[in-house]
Amino acid sequence: MDDQNDEGFVEDGGGFDAEDWTRLKPFVGAVATLDDVQARRAVFALAETDDPRPIVMDLPQPVIWWEEDGEQAAVAVQAESHLGPDGEEMEILGLILPDGEGAVALMEDVDLVDDTDPTWRDLVTRAIDPSAADD
């Protein structure tokens, strides 16, 4: 058995449904490095930013991510604050999507919800089973 899986967020394909998302392992208490991403402990690692800091928040955290293609259910497992080249603060989240894929989003592009939110639950269901959208 691969020991990395015991530390990382990917164990059984990495996806989740509306009932088992809490098993996703968050990356907290530190700023992620490339090694953390390669070991699948973190979703992202940023270089060439200033004053990187972890954001203190309860993780994992269900979110609705507003992206180009519309809204998408996800679970935030990583949260960091970085100063960009212009000195502007960026709050960045590492997300896990229902299919197990990772994504990176700005905090301003997500709504924090709880797992009882009907929109989040519906988005999770439709992501896992696209035929559920026909209901």
Side-chain angles (χ1 to χ4, degrees), residues 39-88:
R40 301 189 65 83
R41 289 185 295 267
V43 175
F44 68 91
L46 295 183
E48 301 179 25
T49 63
D50 293 320
D51 195 25
R53 292 170 283 138
I55 296 173
V56 177
M57 63 184 283
D58 288 335
L59 295 174
Q61 166 67 55
V63 300
I64 297 174
W65 177 29
W66 299 90
E67 55 148 359
E68 290 176 7
D69 298 331
E71 57 190 8
Q72 200 171 148
V75 173
V77 294
Q78 180 182 357
E80 294 180 11
S81 172
H82 293 258
L83 294 181
D86 58 0
E88 187 172 328

Side-chain angles (χ1 to χ4, degrees), residues 5-127:
N5 288 344
D6 293 335
E7 295 175 8
F9 50 74
V10 175
E11 204 161 282
D12 56 7
F16 66 90
D17 63 33
E19 306 306 324
D20 76 350
W21 64 271
T22 57
R23 71 176 169 65
L24 296 174
K25 185 172 174 62
F27 185 88
V28 295
V31 172
T33 65
L34 184 56
D35 287 342
D36 294 318
V37 174
Q38 289 172 338
R40 301 189 65 83
R41 289 185 295 267
V43 175
F44 68 91
L46 295 183
E48 301 179 25
T49 63
D50 293 320
D51 195 25
R53 292 170 283 138
I55 296 173
V56 177
M57 63 184 283
D58 288 335
L59 295 174
Q61 166 67 55
V63 300
I64 297 174
W65 177 29
W66 299 90
E67 55 148 359
E68 290 176 7
D69 298 331
E71 57 190 8
Q72 200 171 148
V75 173
V77 294
Q78 180 182 357
E80 294 180 11
S81 172
H82 293 258
L83 294 181
D86 58 0
E88 187 172 328
E89 182 179 19
M90 302 176 294
E91 293 183 322
I92 304 162
L93 298 176
L95 307 177
I96 301 297
L97 305 177
D99 66 2
E101 290 294 314
V104 179
L106 294 173
M107 181 83 78
E108 65 196 43
D109 294 333
V110 303
D111 291 332
L112 304 181
V113 297
D114 68 38
D115 65 358
T116 63
D117 182 280
T119 301
W120 183 81
R121 294 180 74 84
D122 182 56
L123 289 168
V124 170
T125 300
R126 287 189 286 149

